[in-house]
Amino acid sequence: MPTYRPGPVSLVLAALVALFLLLPLLAVIPVSLTPSRMLAMPSGELSLRHYRALIEDPRWIQSILLSIRIGIVSSAFSTVLALCFSLGVWMFQPRFTAALVGFVLLPMVVPPVVSAITLYFLLTSISGFSSFFGYDTWLGVAMAHAVMTVPFATVLILVSLSQLDRRIDLAARGLGATVWERATRIIIPNIKFGIITAALLSFVLSWEEIGVTLFITSVNAITLPRLMWMGLRDNIDPAIAALSVILIIITVLVLAVRSAVVRLRGGH
């Protein structure tokens, strides 16, 4: 079967589109090297002072570690919830499956500000009973993020289940396997990549969440996106540009490693 190879015109157009999309990201690099205390392009002199500020200022380190902790907890919680729901719907096929799936996907279609206000009142009410889990606590933020990421994890897991042959589950049930054995030994191993993808997506969505976080935090649970937002609102700190460059480099490295792994697997 002949393979299609793009011509020079297509390659040039693709390169121009990619350059157009990457220019805003590339513009952050010189801004991060400005010696000025304000967000501005450097005028002749370059400085690494804002990269040093990321290390020397404990607020940045604390917010990064807090965002990682919240992301891990919310990702684990949302993935477990999405997996339990998806397995239940797929294995038992209840009568109101469409209604149940639609209910779970509500946070995806409801405006974020509505979800943020609802979670704000919920967590402030919980704060009256517990100071550990409620408004402006890292665990409360993690649970709020889980509520927002469960729909996305559910969609990914349901897609993985839709590609699984149902006869495998029927055969296991016919051989006397219990529901737990069918779920843990038959179904989950066959959709493990979908589960991993759901967990990674949930972590990324929690890592960059800012809309809900602004409503449910004050001074104690300052995540990295909230600290960046505060820096832009108060004094336009160029350290945000330095942090953006670091995140871009990490993303590029992850994509490069992934491409290398795919090529190695394809070579074998």
Side-chain angles (χ1 to χ4, degrees):
M1 182 177 179
T3 57
Y4 172 76
R5 295 181 179 276
V9 177
S10 300
L11 292 176
V12 171
L13 291 176
L16 291 176
V17 172
L19 182 62
F20 175 77
L21 295 175
L22 290 175
L23 278 178
L25 297 179
L26 298 177
V28 178
I29 299 177
V31 173
S32 68
L33 298 174
T34 180
S36 173
R37 296 182 58 185
M38 304 297 294
L39 200 64
M41 296 291 288
S43 56
E45 183 182 356
L46 301 179
S47 174
L48 296 175
R49 59 177 295 185
H50 304 297
Y51 289 91
R52 291 194 299 268
L54 295 177
I55 302 175
E56 298 172 354
D57 191 344
R59 296 181 305 164
W60 291 106
I61 303 299
Q62 292 172 1
S63 64
I64 291 173
L65 295 177
L66 180 62
S67 292
I68 293 175
R69 187 199 315 171
I70 291 174
I72 292 174
V73 173
S74 65
S75 173
F77 191 67
S78 62
T79 304
V80 170
L81 287 179
L83 179 61
C84 293
F85 172 80
S86 302
L87 286 176
V89 168
W90 189 83
M91 294 175 66
F92 299 107
Q93 296 181 309
R95 179 180 302 178
F96 304 104
T97 297
L100 292 173
V101 173
F103 180 77
V104 172
L105 299 184
L106 272 179
M108 184 186 294
V109 295
V110 172
V113 65
V114 176
S115 299
I117 294 174
T118 304
L119 291 169
Y120 166 78
F121 284 112
L122 174 64
L123 292 177
T124 51
S125 300
I126 295 176
S127 298
F129 303 96
S130 173
S131 58
F132 181 70
F133 175 74
Y135 175 78
D136 201 22
T137 62
W138 76 268
L139 191 56
V141 175
M143 294 301 101
H145 286 187
V147 171
M148 303 300 296
T149 57
V150 160
F152 299 92
T154 301
V155 169
L156 291 175
I157 296 176
L158 285 177
V159 170
S160 298
L161 286 171
S162 67
Q163 300 173 353
L164 182 64
D165 192 347
R166 190 175 292 274
R167 290 176 295 182
I168 299 176
D169 181 53
L170 294 176
R173 186 170 61 179
L175 293 173
T178 64
V179 173
W180 176 257
E181 290 173 338
R182 287 156 52 199
T184 57
R185 297 186 180 183
I186 305 298
I187 301 177
I188 292 179
N190 282 282
I191 62 169
K192 58 183 178 181
F193 292 109
I195 297 173
I196 294 173
T197 304
L200 291 175
L201 179 62
S202 299
F203 177 84
V204 172
L205 292 175
S206 172
W207 172 269
E208 66 179 11
E209 171 58 44
I210 181 62
V212 173
T213 307
L214 290 175
F215 277 80
I216 62 176
T217 59
S218 180
V219 294
N220 295 322
I222 305 297
T223 62
L224 181 61
R226 179 175 173 81
L227 185 60
M228 296 175 68
W229 181 82
M230 292 167 57
L232 288 173
R233 186 193 64 173
D234 297 337
N235 57 1
I236 314 182
D237 191 353
I240 298 174
L243 180 61
S244 301
V245 173
I246 294 175
L247 293 177
I248 292 172
I249 293 174
I250 293 174
T251 303
V252 171
L253 290 177
V254 171
L255 293 176
V257 170
R258 180 185 179 278
S259 300
V261 171
V262 170
R263 288 186 178 181
L264 289 176
R265 290 181 177 177
H268 295 294

